[in-house]
Amino acid sequence: MTTEPLTWPDEVDDIIRGDLTVAVAYNTPAGGTVVASVSPVGLADREAGVVGFTTSLGFPRKLERILRDPRVSLAYHTRLHGYADHPPYVLAQGRAALDMQPSPERLAALAAAAERFLGPVKQGRLWDWVLREYLQERVFVDVTVERIAVWPDLTTHGSPDVTGPALPPAPDPQRPPKNGTAPRVPVGTQLRKIADMPHRLLGYQGADGFPVVIPVRVTGHDETGLQLEAAPGLLPPGGRRAGLLAHAFNAQCAGLGMRTFTGWLTVTGERALYAPHTAKALAAPANKTLIALGNGLMAKHGLRRARRDGTADRLRALATGGAAPAR
């Protein structure tokens, strides 16, 4: 039995193909969600009902989690520095598959798409060596879309227009972690670190297992956590594991900053409190030459490490449905 691909209207396609930066959410084994920003450079095939992005073997934990639970979501949440100017907020939910050995033709098409969004690739004998792994050892994450929810504007107020199955009701609360729900990193310090990052998004597992990603505002804090606000009806009542992303970026993603959190969300009535448990940061300078150098060297290091410790073989085995080699 074959299922017709889920497709989307022109306005949504313009956003999917035009946004410079989107938020990607994937699940953790403990029932949480991680939210990170990526530059998908317009990767999509509307006729096939597929959206996507690329990543590197230098991020093996993300890849392994997606392979073990392919339910992911992409939130097209800002038109900043992109090519689309329509107001809707778009949440695409689907199941991911990894292409870990893309064809030369697919890599060439990616390079052309990336130049449109990120600017010309550095060229020359030295740069060819520096960027070889970064450009040639890409992992494509292809997401077959099962649901698209479109809110009228980027604040997610109002009722979404849903293509595919209806959005499920709010998920049940989760069991608190054994180590407790209180913050495990200094709340005030983390808030200062994201003060200049205007884009904040919260992610949690929906009742059907697909990550839900919504924009939030930080309205205050104390030693118990960050106080959050969102559009009415989007914060699920009770307590649960959740991911928080704060990020900022300039044109062509120069000078970007990103901080990703995992933690515990408690929603009681109109009050939402987020207690951060872990925090990771990623930053890139505004200088495009330094960005290219950093990307190239990190890709070389990550790939060598993945080959040396067996990560590359383990991920390829999982991607093809085989048993992962023992560590």
Side-chain angles (χ1 to χ4, degrees):
M1 179 178 177
T2 60
T3 303
E4 289 293 322
L6 185 148
T7 59
W8 45 86
D10 290 345
E11 183 182 54
V12 172
D13 198 54
D14 288 343
I15 291 169
I16 289 174
R17 293 183 181 277
D19 275 5
L20 174 61
T21 297
V22 309
V24 170
Y26 57 92
N27 295 327
T28 70
T33 297
V34 176
V35 189
S37 64
V38 300
S39 295
V41 299
L43 295 182
D45 184 341
R46 178 163 54 166
E47 291 185 0
V50 172
V51 298
F53 60 97
T54 67
T55 185
S56 165
L57 280 173
F59 301 99
R61 177 175 290 186
K62 172 172 66 176
L63 293 173
E64 187 162 352
R65 285 177 170 173
I66 290 174
L67 284 168
R68 295 190 182 280
D69 185 347
R71 294 172 295 188
V72 302
S73 297
L74 290 85
Y76 299 83
H77 65 283
T78 172
R79 306 290 94 87
L80 189 64
H81 303 308
Y83 292 98
D85 57 6
H86 310 305
Y89 179 100
V90 178
L91 178 65
Q93 299 175 318
R95 297 179 190 271
L98 302 190
D99 181 359
M100 301 188 64
Q101 295 180 305
S103 67
E105 293 77 15
R106 193 172 197 192
L107 289 170
L110 172 66
E115 286 206 356
R116 177 173 179 251
F117 285 87
L118 305 177
V121 175
K122 297 286 185 181
Q123 294 183 341
R125 190 170 181 178
L126 175 61
W127 284 112
D128 290 347
W129 176 83
V130 169
L131 295 173
R132 182 176 58 206
E133 289 80 4
Y134 178 74
L135 296 177
Q136 298 300 318
E137 299 289 342
R138 303 302 296 173
V139 177
F140 283 76
V141 183
D142 300 312
V143 181
T144 299
V145 179
E146 297 188 13
R147 176 191 293 124
I148 283 191
V150 181
W151 279 264
D153 59 49
L154 296 175
T155 68
T156 61
H157 283 77
S159 298
D161 182 10
V162 179
T163 302
L167 287 167
D172 294 332
Q174 294 177 337
R175 181 178 300 176
K178 293 181 179 179
N179 294 332
T181 62
R184 301 174 193 171
V185 295
V187 177
T189 300
Q190 298 305 319
L191 183 57
R192 287 192 294 273
K193 290 181 181 296
I194 66 172
D196 295 329
M197 300 180 185
H199 309 291
R200 285 94 181 268
L201 297 114
L202 181 79
Y204 60 88
Q205 275 195 39
D208 57 4
F210 286 104
V212 178
V213 184
I214 59 172
V216 293
R217 299 173 300 281
V218 179
T219 60
H221 79 285
D222 57 27
E223 68 279 1
T224 65
L226 301 171
Q227 296 162 15
L228 304 181
E229 282 187 357
L234 295 184
L235 289 170
R240 71 197 63 254
R241 298 177 188 270
L244 182 67
L245 165 68
H247 73 109
F249 60 99
N250 298 320
Q252 298 185 346
C253 284
L256 66 84
M258 176 176 72
R259 187 163 287 263
T260 59
F261 300 91
T262 62
W264 187 260
L265 174 69
T266 304
V267 178
T268 306
E270 299 298 320
R271 186 172 187 266
L273 186 71
Y274 184 77
H277 292 172
T278 67
K280 293 184 178 180
L282 178 68
N287 185 292
K288 297 286 288 184
T289 299
L290 292 178
I291 292 175
L293 181 62
N295 286 340
L297 295 179
M298 284 193 298
K300 285 182 182 295
H301 173 72
L303 183 59
R304 289 171 183 168
R305 181 182 58 193
R307 287 171 173 168
R308 184 174 59 248
D309 64 13
T311 297
D313 290 338
R314 186 174 70 254
L315 292 174
R316 288 192 177 99
L318 286 171
T320 57
R327 293 187 176 183

